[in-house]
Amino acid sequence: MRLTTKGRYAVTAMLDLSLNYGVGAITLADISERQGISLSYLEQLFARLRKQGLVSSSRGPGGGYRLSRAATEITVLDVISAVDEKVDSTQCQGKHNCHADEQCVSHELWQSLSDQIRVYLAGITLHHVVNDYERNLNNRGNSEKVIKFDAL
């Protein structure tokens, strides 16, 4: 399984909203500047995130985006799925036709791996990631920004 830029950027942008939860609406321009993601790419991602009900938007002065639910209720899998990112380690994308239109000998292994990745990502909320990030910043200072997850 390879997570593409689309999935990584969507998660990063949602984490930015989580870090600023309660501040008010956050503009995509602010996220773009803080995270180094192009504004036009964020617009595409947020259209999908809004359609899936993960963010809400408001227009006009003071407008922008907010999480539609608390960060404790949004999983990394929710975000990745909302932008049509697939969590699939099989060669055939789960169609069972990986070897001459038949299921290959290792299909179940890769399918099981995909299932485990989905379970893992479904168990990590945006809140978990933000808490781990902030704890690491407090423990190490601002020089090292590594996120390490506790076992779930």
Side-chain angles (χ1 to χ4, degrees), residues 16-34:
D16 189 289
L17 286 181
S18 298
L19 282 165
N20 294 289
Y21 189 71
V23 173
I26 307 296
T27 67
L28 294 183
D30 287 341
I31 296 171
S32 174
E33 184 177 316
R34 283 191 296 263

Side-chain angles (χ1 to χ4, degrees), residues 5-21 26-39 41-47 49 54-55 65-68 71 74 76 79-80 83 126 129-130:
T5 301
K6 179 172 49 175
R8 290 179 192 277
Y9 283 179
V11 170
T12 299
M14 290 292 284
L15 290 171
D16 189 289
L17 286 181
S18 298
L19 282 165
N20 294 289
Y21 189 71
I26 307 296
T27 67
L28 294 183
D30 287 341
I31 296 171
S32 174
E33 184 177 316
R34 283 191 296 263
Q35 304 303 329
I37 303 170
S38 86
L39 182 57
Y41 202 67
L42 283 171
E43 289 169 347
Q44 294 172 37
L45 293 175
F46 272 74
L49 294 167
L54 297 180
V55 297
Y65 287 89
R66 294 178 174 89
L67 296 178
S68 62
I74 300 173
V76 173
V79 176
I80 290 170
V83 295
L126 297 179
V129 179
V130 167

Side-chain angles (χ1 to χ4, degrees), residues 36-96:
I37 303 170
S38 86
L39 182 57
S40 61
Y41 202 67
L42 283 171
E43 289 169 347
Q44 294 172 37
L45 293 175
F46 272 74
R48 292 178 180 191
L49 294 167
R50 189 177 64 240
K51 184 177 180 183
Q52 295 301 316
L54 297 180
V55 297
S56 58
S57 63
S58 55
R59 294 183 179 204
Y65 287 89
R66 294 178 174 89
L67 296 178
S68 62
R69 304 188 305 259
T72 56
E73 299 175 17
I74 300 173
T75 69
V76 173
L77 184 63
D78 292 336
V79 176
I80 290 170
S81 298
V83 295
D84 297 327
E85 187 80 349
K86 304 297 182 224
V87 180
D88 187 2
S89 299
T90 64
Q91 182 178 352
C92 62
Q93 289 79 44
K95 296 176 186 169
H96 305 278

